[in-house]
Amino acid sequence: DRFVFFRHALPSDVPALTLPEVHEIIKDVWLHRHDVAIAEEAATRRKGEPRSSKEDKLLATKKADEEEYRTGLEIPDLTDPMTVELFRKWEDGDPNYLPLLRMIRVSSADPEKILITRKGRREEELEAKAAKEAKAAAKAAAKDSNAMALD
């Protein structure tokens, strides 16, 4: 699972990753995670024998991963400290926790670009709270200015 992979690939000693570090994890680890199994399957095959269905499936997965990364791979935003903090608290397998995370799309075709595909629910809650506080402050300021005008 993608979330489990990136949760375990995240170094524990940094508050967030840089965009080049995210791409490095994808290129050097994510895209090669099946290479050992592919090599093992190929090694068990006799010369001239067709690939096993398992090897075909692994190769297809690798090709699909490469294409998805080229066009845009959606992952948790490991460049955002709040998302990283929440992601570290995630218990593997609990899908109810995942909507809290901000999601981004990164691609090998445009490695300098991040596209936010979904704000995390926690981020939305903080924005809503800030908007509510700003509205209340504006209302209080208007009330104060009206009171001064009456004096």
Side-chain angles (χ1 to χ4, degrees):
D1 173 69
R2 185 177 306 192
F3 291 101
V4 173
F5 172 86
F6 283 100
R7 170 64 182 85
H8 291 290
L10 185 61
S12 61
D13 60 340
V14 294
L17 298 176
T18 64
L19 185 55
E21 290 170 330
V22 170
H23 283 285
E24 187 177 315
I25 289 172
I26 294 168
K27 288 186 287 191
D28 295 346
V29 186
W30 172 254
L31 294 178
H32 296 283
R33 70 192 187 285
H34 297 299
D35 287 358
V36 171
I38 291 169
E40 288 172 355
E41 283 295 310
T44 62
R45 192 171 12 109
R46 291 188 179 136
K47 189 174 183 176
E49 196 174 68
R51 290 189 301 254
S52 68
S53 60
K54 181 178 178 182
E55 185 178 358
D56 281 340
K57 184 177 178 182
L58 290 168
L59 287 167
T61 299
K62 182 174 180 163
K63 186 176 181 177
D65 288 345
E66 289 169 346
E67 179 61 16
E68 185 178 12
Y69 178 46
R70 187 186 68 73
T71 59
L73 176 68
E74 188 175 42
I75 61 172
D77 187 358
L78 304 178
T79 67
D80 175 57
M82 184 167 64
T83 300
V84 170
E85 182 182 338
L86 288 169
F87 198 32
R88 284 191 172 117
K89 294 175 183 175
W90 177 53
E91 297 293 327
D92 295 351
D94 182 4
N96 295 321
Y97 192 82
L98 297 177
L100 295 174
L101 305 176
R102 176 197 285 183
M103 298 296 291
I104 60 171
R105 188 174 304 278
V106 295
S107 80
S108 62
D110 196 357
E112 302 297 318
K113 182 179 173 186
I114 291 178
L115 174 66
I116 298 173
T117 57
R118 184 186 78 214
K119 289 183 180 181
R121 190 179 319 134
R122 177 73 178 129
E123 186 176 3
E124 290 171 351
E125 289 170 1
L126 291 173
E127 287 175 358
K129 181 179 177 184
K132 188 176 180 180
E133 288 171 356
K135 187 175 179 180
K139 191 175 182 179
K143 185 177 178 181
D144 287 345
S145 90
N146 285 343
M148 285 197 276
L150 293 176
D151 288 339

